[in-house]
Amino acid sequence: MDKGLHFTICVVTTVLLLRESSQAGEEKDPEVLAAPKPDSQGAGEGLPTLTVTTILEDPYVMVKGAELEGYCMDLLGSLAGMLRFQYRVKVVGDGQYGAIAAGGNWTGMIGEILRREADIAVAPLTVTSAREEVVSFTTPFLQTGIGILLRKDTVSQDMSFFHFLSPFSKETWTALLFAYLLTCFCLFLVARLSPCEWNEPKNEENHFTFLNSLWFGAGALALQGATPRPQALSVRVVAVFWWLFTLALLAAYIANFTALLSSGSEQLPIQTFEDLVKQRNLEFGTLEGSSTFYYFKNSKNPIHQMIYEYMEKRRKHVLVKTYQEAVQRVMDSNYAFIGESISQDLAAARHCNLIRAPEVIGAGGFGIATAQASPWTKPLSIAVLKLRESGDLDYLRNKWWESSCLRQSQDRWGPLEPPALGGLFLTLGIGLVLGILTALAELSSSSRRAAAHAKKSCCSVFTEEICTRLRIKGTARQNQETSGKANA
């Protein structure tokens, strides 16, 4: 009995020991450890996790509650989905993009990548040769350049005495004057040719003299009725086309003149960086330690060197720490900000009192920075190219650059050139031709009736009528003498 009990206890103990050994072996098995758990978070387990450094700048990265959002966050999410990695985002500690400090070390996001504090940098980080020497960049996901951001009222000048002529260019005003004179001449010609405008052309003067035709055309330009009133169909055809022409022309003039008054684009004396250097009313600067600052430092252009020397001498007064500070300073003081043109376009779209000068220099792009020899550089470049080819980058641009403010910094209103009104002038020309053809048809019909009544040749009567109405005296006298001899 004791032996049986002892055997049973030994068997139970052996089974328990074997079970514990099996469980311990399963816990130490690496394949079991890497196996995903059947829960909602299991899809992300086993994927590599990258530490991403970025910088707060609207609209690239912005804080919303406890999360980050913006263009770069959407881009990062798309890249993570394509390349299957997880990421942890951290905002750069010193708030800098990346420049060489006095001791030779790099600051900002570039410095964090070099110190292995971050794997990649996804931010509005400009690709430069100095940065490319210490880190690697992917294909740029946004193209940009260097522009000048201004406040409209700081650069506006008094309007010229003849500013009311600004909606149309000189060529357009010349074409308008020519169209007016041509139309008035056609009115005069058609009214003389049409038999409906007078009953006795030999004894009665036509109401549509050339001076009266000029007055009639000027009245239509001012949207005022003017005498004489057209009676013939041909004259009315010319008048209708001239009225349509003047209506469309006045609408274009009023719309463009209103836009010129509101946008102030014609009163922008600072068009280039050279204009910025020559003026003395505005201070100008850029972001401290940014690629823009070093672009002017390394440039051999004399104008760029003057800009750099100005900023270097007044470093404490004209260099700003953040992009938001720069925009606010432009709005609050006589300050011009030199920076990335694509960011300035957004500022001009969201703040209607800001405008970007037309000139853009130093074309470049924003790229994703990685450590040199990083295995992620090429895959990220290929993924950026795929996003560009599929239109996703354009979608993100439209999404985060959308604004309710009219983008007057880009949609500049200027004088309307003749090609913009070419269809209008063509329509008027067609109307003039139709009016002349109609007048000739009316005169031809009247001549046929007169020729049948007088038993004369239709061509001779038609020629006589034209000469009489156009007051061609020699021909008319000859016709009268021929007619008198025939009657004698």
Side-chain angles (χ1 to χ4, degrees):
M1 185 68 180
D2 294 337
K3 292 182 179 181
L5 181 60
H6 180 72
F7 178 77
T8 303
I9 294 174
C10 290
V11 171
V12 172
T13 303
T14 303
V15 171
L16 293 175
L17 290 175
L18 290 174
R19 181 177 297 180
E20 290 178 0
S21 175
S22 175
Q23 291 178 353
E26 291 179 0
E27 291 179 359
K28 295 180 181 179
D29 190 351
E31 296 182 358
V32 175
L33 179 64
K37 297 180 181 179
D39 55 15
S40 59
Q41 299 179 352
E45 292 188 4
L47 299 180
T49 301
L50 300 181
T51 301
V52 181
T53 180
T54 188
I55 192 170
L56 295 179
E57 182 176 329
D58 184 14
Y60 303 100
V61 180
M62 300 171 290
V63 178
K64 183 179 181 182
E67 298 180 352
L68 297 175
E69 66 172 10
Y71 178 94
C72 289
M73 291 298 98
D74 288 351
L75 174 64
L76 183 59
S78 300
L79 295 174
M82 296 176 64
L83 301 179
R84 296 191 56 78
F85 65 83
Q86 300 181 92
Y87 56 89
R88 181 178 64 88
V89 180
K90 61 185 292 290
V91 179
V92 60
D94 57 5
Q96 301 292 321
Y97 289 86
I100 302 178
N105 297 323
W106 281 83
T107 63
M109 293 177 282
I110 302 297
E112 291 190 351
I113 293 179
L114 294 176
R115 294 189 298 269
R116 305 295 180 178
E117 298 174 7
D119 298 308
I120 62 175
V122 182
L125 190 61
T126 306
V127 180
T128 64
S129 59
R131 292 170 178 171
E132 189 74 54
E133 290 180 355
V134 294
V135 297
S136 296
F137 280 97
T138 64
T139 301
F141 57 85
L142 269 180
Q143 299 296 330
T144 184
I146 300 175
I148 308 171
L149 185 66
L150 307 158
R151 195 174 77 247
K152 292 179 181 178
D153 56 357
T154 60
V155 295
S156 61
Q157 295 177 332
D158 295 334
M159 294 183 183
S160 64
F161 191 71
F162 295 98
H163 186 67
F164 69 93
L165 299 176
S166 300
F168 293 158
S169 65
K170 295 179 181 179
E171 293 79 7
T172 304
W173 284 115
T174 303
L176 174 59
L177 178 61
F178 177 78
Y180 166 70
L181 294 176
L182 180 62
T183 303
C184 293
F185 176 76
C186 287
L187 281 172
F188 167 74
L189 178 64
V190 169
R192 284 190 168 273
L193 293 178
S194 176
C196 299
E197 286 297 333
W198 45 13
N199 296 322
E200 294 293 336
K202 296 181 180 180
N203 304 321
E204 181 183 355
E205 182 67 26
N206 190 286
H207 295 294
F208 269 95
T209 63
F210 189 68
L211 290 178
N212 287 344
S213 299
L214 291 175
W215 178 248
F216 182 87
L221 276 173
L223 299 181
Q224 300 294 323
T227 55
R229 305 286 184 181
Q231 298 178 0
L233 175 62
S234 55
V235 182
R236 291 178 178 179
V237 168
V238 176
V240 165
F241 275 90
W242 176 244
W243 289 338
L244 292 176
F245 176 83
T246 55
L247 282 174
L249 194 73
L250 287 174
Y253 176 86
I254 294 173
N256 208 37
F257 190 55
T258 304
L260 285 173
L261 291 177
S262 60
S263 67
S265 61
E266 289 301 303
Q267 297 82 47
L268 186 63
I270 300 178
Q271 302 281 337
T272 64
F273 285 88
E274 184 176 359
D275 296 334
L276 184 65
V277 172
K278 290 181 179 180
Q279 59 82 38
R280 293 295 179 267
N281 298 325
L282 298 178
E283 293 183 320
F284 53 88
T286 187
L287 290 175
E288 184 177 4
S290 64
S291 60
T292 301
F293 180 81
Y294 287 98
Y295 173 85
F296 288 99
K297 180 179 179 180
N298 300 325
S299 176
K300 303 302 181 182
N301 188 304
I303 300 297
H304 299 171
Q305 278 297 308
M306 294 174 64
I307 293 176
Y308 167 72
E309 292 173 2
Y310 175 89
M311 294 189 297
E312 181 64 27
K313 291 179 181 178
R314 299 166 177 81
R315 173 184 289 267
K316 296 182 179 179
H317 301 286
V318 299
L319 297 184
V320 293
K321 300 294 184 182
T322 63
Y323 176 78
Q324 290 76 13
E325 178 187 350
V327 174
Q328 192 64 40
R329 186 168 177 180
V330 172
M331 292 190 294
D332 296 341
S333 62
N334 292 337
Y335 180 78
F337 173 61
I338 303 175
E340 302 293 346
S341 60
I342 191 170
S343 301
Q344 292 176 348
D345 290 339
L346 178 67
R350 294 187 176 179
H351 305 282
C352 297
N353 62 332
L354 300 182
I355 187 171
R356 178 174 62 81
E359 186 181 31
V360 176
I361 62 175
F366 295 152
I368 300 174
T370 65
Q372 288 185 339
S374 171
W376 291 99
T377 306
K378 187 173 181 179
L380 286 171
S381 293
I382 296 175
V384 169
L385 289 175
K386 289 182 179 179
L387 291 176
R388 179 182 299 171
E389 294 169 354
S390 63
D392 290 344
L393 293 183
D394 293 333
Y395 168 77
L396 292 180
R397 168 71 184 270
N398 295 332
K399 173 184 176 181
W400 291 105
W401 267 253
E402 183 181 3
S403 176
S404 59
C405 177
L406 178 63
R407 300 190 64 178
Q408 296 170 348
S409 61
Q410 290 185 342
D411 302 333
R412 300 187 182 278
W413 294 83
L416 286 179
E417 300 290 340
L421 302 173
L424 193 59
F425 284 96
L426 178 61
T427 303
L428 177 63
I430 293 174
L432 297 182
V433 173
L434 287 178
I436 294 175
L437 293 178
T438 305
L440 292 176
E442 292 174 344
L443 183 59
S444 176
S445 177
S446 175
S447 299
R448 283 198 301 269
R449 290 195 299 267
H453 180 73
K455 296 181 180 180
K456 295 182 179 181
S457 170
C458 181
C459 292
S460 62
V461 173
F462 182 78
T463 304
E464 181 181 354
E465 290 289 336
I466 289 180
C467 294
T468 302
R469 296 174 191 280
L470 297 181
R471 295 293 191 269
I472 304 177
K473 295 182 179 180
T475 307
R477 188 181 300 112
Q478 182 179 359
N479 291 336
Q480 289 177 3
E481 290 177 355
T482 304
S483 178
K485 292 179 180 180
N487 292 334

